[in-house]
Amino acid sequence: MAASAAPAVDASSVAADQLKSFIERIERLEEEKAGLAGDIKDVYSEAKGTGFDVKALRKIISLRKKDHAERQEEEAILELYMQALGMV
């Protein structure tokens, strides 16, 4: 297996400028991600303060990310396992 050659990186090369650009973009995005995570946490806190169950909200968010067929399959498997354990 031949290893692909990495671009030569020295302080005066174009590759160094590209590398610096990539790093700075990633750092900005990481900062934005941290800010958004904080905003999401604030919304959950606000919901909890008004009496909503945060655990249930998180579960609903998780379920809404899945398509209908995927949710149905997951629910069917859960129901089957619960029956096998005598929980229903």
Side-chain angles (χ1 to χ4, degrees):
M1 212 180 250
S4 61
V9 179
D10 63 50
S12 63
S13 74
V14 173
D17 291 339
Q18 284 181 318
L19 176 61
K20 182 178 178 185
S21 175
F22 286 132
I23 296 297
E24 289 171 349
R25 286 170 52 198
I26 291 168
E27 288 172 340
R28 280 193 305 275
L29 291 169
E30 289 289 346
E31 288 174 12
E32 290 176 26
K33 184 169 75 170
L36 289 173
D39 291 347
I40 292 169
K41 182 179 177 183
D42 291 345
V43 173
Y44 278 117
S45 293
E46 184 180 342
K48 183 176 182 177
T50 59
F52 289 99
D53 183 306
V54 172
K55 187 174 180 181
L57 292 177
R58 289 184 189 278
K59 182 64 178 176
I60 289 170
I61 297 295
S62 171
L63 289 171
R64 287 173 54 108
K65 289 179 183 178
K66 299 174 184 178
D67 67 27
H68 182 69
E70 187 179 5
R71 280 195 316 266
Q72 282 186 318
E73 181 181 356
E74 185 178 297
E75 289 170 5
I77 292 170
L78 181 62
E79 179 72 20
L80 177 66
Y81 289 0
M82 289 175 68
Q83 286 177 2
L85 295 171
M87 296 175 66
V88 283

